[in-house]
Amino acid sequence: MSVVRTKVLGLVDVIMRVPSLFIIDEILKISMGLPNSSSPPPTQSAATAAVTSSESLVNLTVNASVSVATNMLDAAAAAAGGIGSPEDSLKDDIEFYKFISLTTLKFLLCLFGCISAACVFMLWTRHLVIVYMYIVSVGLIFLSYWSNVSALSVISDGPSLLEDILSLNMERLLDPGGVALSILPHLLAQWLMGVIFAYIHLGPKYKIIQKALPFSFLMPLFLAMLPLPTVVLKHSPAFAAILPLVLSKIALWSSSFDVVKTILNGYQHARNFASNFGISALIENEWQRLNVPCVLRAFWTLRLLEQLVSLLVASDVPLRFAATIQSLLVSGCETLTAVLGMTSIISLICHYIGKAFQLFLLSEDYDEDKSIGTVSAILFYILALQTGLTSLTPDKRFVRLCRNLCLLITALLHFLHNIVAPILMSLSAARNPSRKRHARALMVCAFLLLTPVGLLSILWSRHSPSTWLLAVTAFSVEVIVKVLVSLATYTLFLLDARRQTFWEKLDDYVYYIRAFGNSVEFCFGIFLFFNGAWILIFESGGAIRALMMCIHAYFNIWCEARAGWGVFMKRRTAVHKISSLPEATPQQLRTFDDVCAICYQEMTSAKITRCKHYFHGVCLRKWLYVQDRCPLCHEIIMNQDTPAEKGAVEGSAAVAAEDEAILQANVAAVVPVGQGILQNSAVAGAAPDASSSSSVNASSNSSNSSIMAAAASSSTSRNPLSVSGFRIPSTASGSSTSSSSSSSSASSSSSSSATTTMAAAPTSGPAGLGSSETAAATAAAISQIIRQHQHQQLRSSVDRDFLDELE
């Protein structure tokens, strides 16, 4: 029950918003009050319509020019002393300015009416009910006045009704053509209108006033039964309407502040919503709240029914079906609001067509937001605006409408292909054994192939070549090419699913087929651009057509060309990189005896990367579209370096050479100091005391710290990744550095070996160790010299076993 109630209330809400569209539509029919700009009536011929339209467009200009010329002639005649006619000139000026003033006033009134109707259309439902209650109450007042006037005219022409009632003259009272039975419907109608007005009016509802309202509506009829003067009876309907009008005026005055407040609140709400969620979200929310598609469909349906009834009433002969349909379609797109209503109907039809194909294809993923109904509606309305559908004469309008529908049919075929193409790919890739789904998809493809062929054969047989026909042909051929490309790709995937081995050329074949299809679409896009440019320049120009051409040139030509060129360059680069990799021999593949790490398929052929990993050439080429590193170890795949990489390598080599030169200078400064310390300790004798030992240690430590600080000042200013003047070794050389430092510290037991290590470290630059390894070896040699000197100073006073234990 609640569901039915919700649907009924929704239908009532839709119906309440329809009259606003009728008001806007009627205002647009008279061209916003502008003179002679509406289309001629349907009974005129094409030539008469063209002449009338041309005359209407230049009428104001001619009048103004004549007026100005008359004024100039009068001024010239007055200056020459001739006889002028200032009265005629003044009369023409008065007529001209009166015409301009009336036109401006009508335009402003029509504009105000459109804005008011649009505001009423956008009201919330509760406010809309209030508006309709007020409008109905005011309408009841005028309807009651008209009914009273009609009833009084009947009573005044007949015998006295009160006399017949008092004398019980049943013959005249029950006479079908008598006064009593004639005014009886008026009595019932007045009483009913009074009761309804008392219930819905928005004025003050006092008990006495509520009870007096029905009698106020009935008062003129009651007075007409009395023998009163004709003047009193004549003005009685106006006096009877005073009380309802006063109540309506009070209601209007009291609600005027609420109207302003409601408008301001609505504006504030829309502004806050747009600032929080965006304008697009605001439009979408209001579109759903107002239920615009249903309102437009109801408006267009009622409009067509009204036109059909007028045709049936005006025609004396039976209507022909084809002529009636043509007349209804022509009248159904004569204004912008009517075109919107037709667009909503077409959207509904296309929506159900797409849904039917989805059900036929047994597909469940139907997206309402991206349904073909919405896209078709937008396309049809843009075509109507682009071709100036509403400004054409009726016969030309029907021809243009049919052409737009043909273009819409070809676009609908494109949308249906977009539905069936993913289903074909999923069926071929998933190895779906259901033959029913395959058969249904292939039947839809056959329909998409046969329909454009039949449409083109009909159009080319009945029409001569034109820009419109070329556009339809381009769209139809494009549909055929896209369907053939999808079928070819589907066939290749099916063949690949039946193969037992990896098909390495499949990717190439699919790329060639799709590249052909995209190239054909791109060529047709360029052709349609030039076709539209021809129409814009030589046939029917317009700002909307120029804007659509710019959009087409950017999205369908420039963006597609850039994307296609990017894909081509990526593929070309990947092919070049793959061709430089060595091919695995059969012996290597047998030794490897594994699958490709990308596709997990057996390898009959493979490419060997720089890091000695095996992959299919096709799989590795697809991987190279994304990055240039190995999928397994993330090492650089290619052997040769790019120019940027070569520059980076040369720069790092120069930095390493400079670091090595600085380190050699630091070591050369350290070695004499170490040797001097050793010589001084050898000359001093066997056992220096503790004080001399401490002084020597202090001097050695100070000299070591000064040397390290000098090295740090010379290297850290250039390399931030350095500690105490020595570059931090990389992760790759960390093991070799640690092993060299540990081996040098463990094997160095004498000064000769330390000297040998120091001598070898700096000279092992480019040919031996790298820059980081050289720095580590030099640091180990310096620390070894210092430790040897300390050992020699301490061994004379401390037991050797204790020293070994300390070490």
Side-chain angles (χ1 to χ4, degrees):
M1 188 66 182
S2 60
V3 177
V4 176
R5 181 175 179 272
T6 303
K7 290 184 177 181
V8 170
L9 291 178
L11 179 61
V12 171
D13 182 75
V14 167
I15 296 299
M16 284 193 299
R17 299 186 190 278
V18 170
S20 300
L21 295 181
F22 272 103
I23 293 174
I24 297 175
D25 185 67
E26 292 297 327
I27 293 175
L28 292 178
K29 277 184 179 180
I30 61 175
S31 301
M32 299 291 293
L34 297 177
N36 298 326
S37 60
S38 60
S39 59
T43 56
Q44 291 181 344
S45 62
T48 307
V51 171
T52 306
S53 178
S54 301
E55 291 178 353
S56 64
L57 290 176
V58 302
N59 191 14
L60 287 176
T61 307
V62 170
N63 291 335
S65 302
V66 169
S67 177
V68 172
T70 305
N71 293 335
M72 294 176 64
L73 290 174
D74 292 340
I83 300 175
S85 53
E87 293 82 4
D88 295 339
S89 176
L90 181 62
K91 185 177 180 181
D92 292 339
D93 289 342
I94 291 174
E95 293 295 329
F96 175 74
Y97 288 118
K98 183 188 294 185
F99 176 76
I100 293 297
S101 301
L102 290 176
T103 303
T104 304
L105 180 61
K106 287 194 291 184
F107 175 76
L108 292 178
L109 289 177
C110 291
L111 183 62
F112 177 75
C114 284
I115 295 175
S116 302
C119 291
V120 172
F121 176 81
M122 297 180 65
L123 287 175
W124 292 88
T125 304
R126 60 179 183 275
H127 297 139
L128 197 61
V129 170
I130 294 173
V131 170
Y132 275 105
M133 287 176 65
Y134 183 80
I135 292 175
V136 170
S137 61
V138 174
L140 287 175
I141 295 173
F142 288 99
L143 185 62
S144 172
Y145 177 82
W146 173 79
S147 178
N148 283 325
V149 170
S150 300
L152 289 176
S153 64
V154 174
I155 293 175
S156 61
D157 296 337
S160 176
L161 186 61
L162 182 61
E163 181 182 352
D164 292 340
I165 293 175
L166 293 177
S167 61
L168 297 177
N169 190 350
M170 303 303 297
E171 183 178 357
R172 283 198 299 185
L173 288 176
L174 298 178
D175 185 14
V179 177
L181 293 181
S182 299
I183 66 170
L184 183 61
H186 292 278
L187 286 170
L188 294 176
Q190 291 294 336
W191 179 82
L192 184 62
M193 286 187 288
V195 172
I196 294 175
F197 183 86
Y199 180 76
I200 67 171
H201 79 89
L202 302 175
K205 294 186 178 181
Y206 300 107
K207 184 178 292 186
I208 298 177
I209 295 177
Q210 293 294 100
K211 291 181 178 180
L213 279 174
F215 297 100
S216 174
F217 279 79
L218 290 170
M219 184 184 66
L221 296 181
F222 289 155
L223 293 177
M225 298 178 184
L226 301 176
L228 296 175
T230 307
V231 178
V232 175
L233 295 178
K234 183 178 180 181
H235 292 90
S236 61
F239 284 104
I242 290 177
L243 179 61
L245 284 175
V246 169
L247 292 176
S248 299
K249 187 175 181 180
I250 293 174
L252 180 62
W253 178 257
S254 62
S255 61
S256 60
F257 300 100
D258 295 334
V259 170
V260 176
K261 186 178 179 180
T262 302
I263 294 174
L264 293 178
N265 290 337
Y267 171 74
Q268 192 67 28
H269 169 73
R271 183 177 178 181
N272 294 334
F273 196 95
S275 61
N276 293 330
F277 304 102
I279 298 179
S280 60
L282 174 64
I283 295 174
E284 183 178 0
N285 181 64
E286 293 300 311
W287 187 272
Q288 294 178 356
R289 180 181 69 84
L290 300 174
N291 202 0
V292 176
C294 292
V295 175
L296 290 175
R297 290 174 199 136
F299 159 72
W300 197 75
T301 304
L302 293 175
R303 195 178 189 278
L304 242 66
L305 289 176
E306 177 191 0
Q307 184 68 19
L308 180 61
V309 169
S310 63
L311 287 177
L312 292 174
V313 171
S315 178
D316 298 332
V317 296
L319 298 176
R320 293 183 300 171
F321 179 78
T324 305
I325 294 298
Q326 178 177 347
S327 177
L328 292 178
L329 290 179
V330 167
S331 64
C333 58
E334 61 182 346
T335 60
L336 291 177
T337 50
V339 172
L340 280 174
M342 182 180 287
T343 300
S344 64
I345 297 294
I346 290 175
S347 172
L348 184 66
I349 295 173
C350 294
H351 169 75
Y352 281 111
I353 289 175
K355 201 168 184 179
F357 274 90
Q358 287 279 345
L359 294 175
F360 181 76
L361 292 170
L362 303 178
S363 177
E364 299 178 355
D365 52 344
Y366 189 71
D367 193 356
E368 288 287 340
D369 297 332
K370 298 180 181 179
S371 67
I372 61 177
T374 304
V375 183
S376 300
I378 296 173
L379 177 61
F380 179 80
Y381 196 72
I382 290 176
L383 285 174
L385 295 178
Q386 182 175 331
T387 55
L389 189 63
T390 57
S391 61
L392 299 175
T393 56
D395 51 350
K396 293 183 179 180
R397 189 186 307 155
F398 180 73
V399 173
R400 177 55 61 185
L401 179 62
C402 294
R403 292 181 177 181
N404 289 351
L405 289 177
C406 288
L407 289 171
L408 184 64
I409 290 173
T410 57
L412 184 62
L413 296 178
H414 280 270
F415 301 148
L416 294 178
H417 170 262
N418 292 337
I419 293 175
V420 73
I423 296 176
L424 275 177
M425 297 303 103
S426 63
L427 290 175
S428 61
R431 301 182 181 181
N432 196 317
S434 176
R435 296 184 178 180
K436 182 186 294 184
R437 298 195 63 186
H438 286 268
R440 289 173 181 262
L442 292 177
M443 289 172 64
V444 172
C445 290
F447 171 78
L448 294 178
L449 289 175
L450 295 177
T451 303
V453 173
L455 179 64
L456 288 181
S457 62
I458 294 174
L459 293 178
W460 279 96
S461 62
R462 297 186 178 183
H463 298 85
S464 59
S466 61
T467 53
W468 160 77
L469 190 55
L470 291 177
V472 175
T473 304
F475 279 119
S476 302
V477 174
E478 189 176 349
V479 171
I480 296 173
V481 171
K482 289 171 70 174
V483 174
L484 292 177
V485 167
S486 298
L487 289 175
T489 309
Y490 165 78
T491 305
L492 288 177
F493 284 152
L494 282 182
L495 294 177
D496 179 65
R498 301 298 186 272
R499 289 174 61 95
Q500 300 297 327
T501 59
F502 181 74
W503 192 3
E504 192 168 354
K505 293 295 183 180
L506 175 64
D507 182 70
D508 294 332
Y509 295 151
V510 172
Y511 174 77
Y512 296 148
I513 291 173
R514 289 181 175 174
F516 169 75
N518 293 333
S519 300
V520 172
E521 291 184 35
F522 181 74
C523 293
F524 277 122
I526 296 176
F527 170 76
L528 290 174
F529 176 79
F530 285 108
N531 187 64
W534 180 274
I535 297 174
L536 179 66
I537 296 173
F538 299 103
E539 294 185 7
S540 60
I544 298 177
R545 184 181 293 275
L547 177 63
M548 295 307 300
M549 283 187 60
C550 293
I551 294 174
H552 170 73
Y554 178 74
F555 288 101
N556 294 337
I557 297 179
W558 168 250
C559 291
E560 292 294 331
R562 186 174 58 182
W565 182 256
V567 172
F568 172 74
M569 292 306 296
K570 284 183 179 180
R571 185 178 181 85
R572 181 183 177 185
T573 305
V575 170
H576 177 68
K577 291 179 179 180
I578 292 299
S579 62
S580 64
L581 293 177
E583 186 79 22
T585 62
Q587 180 63 29
Q588 289 175 328
L589 290 175
R590 285 193 298 269
T591 305
F592 180 67
D593 192 20
D594 203 349
V595 297
C596 174
I598 298 177
C599 66
Y600 298 104
Q601 298 291 331
E602 294 183 359
M603 290 189 291
T604 57
S605 62
K607 291 288 186 178
I608 305 176
T609 62
R610 181 182 177 185
C611 49
K612 305 303 180 183
H613 289 138
Y614 291 68
F615 303 98
H616 285 128
V618 177
C619 300
L620 197 57
R621 183 173 60 196
K622 294 178 182 178
W623 180 266
L624 288 176
Y625 293 161
V626 182
Q627 59 179 332
D628 292 337
R629 294 186 175 273
C630 177
L632 293 178
C633 64
H634 297 284
E635 286 290 331
I636 299 297
I637 293 177
M638 308 312 301
N639 290 322
Q640 69 273 15
D641 296 326
T642 61
E645 293 173 349
K646 289 181 180 179
V649 171
E650 292 175 358
S652 63
V655 173
E658 188 175 355
D659 289 341
E660 184 180 357
I662 294 173
L663 290 173
Q664 288 179 3
N666 292 334
V667 173
V670 171
V671 171
V673 175
Q675 291 178 352
I677 294 173
L678 291 176
Q679 291 175 0
N680 291 332
S681 64
V683 171
D689 54 3
S691 61
S692 63
S693 174
S694 61
S695 63
V696 171
N697 290 332
S699 62
S700 63
N701 291 332
S702 63
S703 62
N704 183 26
S705 61
S706 63
I707 293 170
M708 301 296 284
S713 63
S714 62
S715 61
T716 54
S717 61
R718 182 170 33 81
N719 183 13
L721 298 177
S722 60
V723 179
S724 300
F726 299 103
R727 188 181 298 275
I728 296 176
S730 62
T731 306
S733 61
S735 59
S736 61
T737 305
S738 60
S739 61
S740 62
S741 61
S742 61
S743 62
S744 61
S745 62
S747 62
S748 60
S749 61
S750 63
S751 61
S752 60
S753 60
T755 307
T756 306
T757 306
M758 285 188 60
T763 59
S764 60
L769 299 173
S771 61
S772 58
E773 297 175 354
T774 304
T778 308
I782 294 173
S783 62
Q784 180 184 357
I785 294 172
I786 298 172
R787 279 198 302 271
Q788 286 178 0
H789 174 67
Q790 292 174 355
H791 288 173
Q792 289 179 1
Q793 294 292 331
L794 292 175
R795 286 181 194 277
S796 60
S797 59
V798 186
D799 187 66
R800 182 178 298 277
D801 297 333
F802 182 66
L803 269 177
D804 294 336
E805 188 174 358
L806 287 176
E807 290 177 10

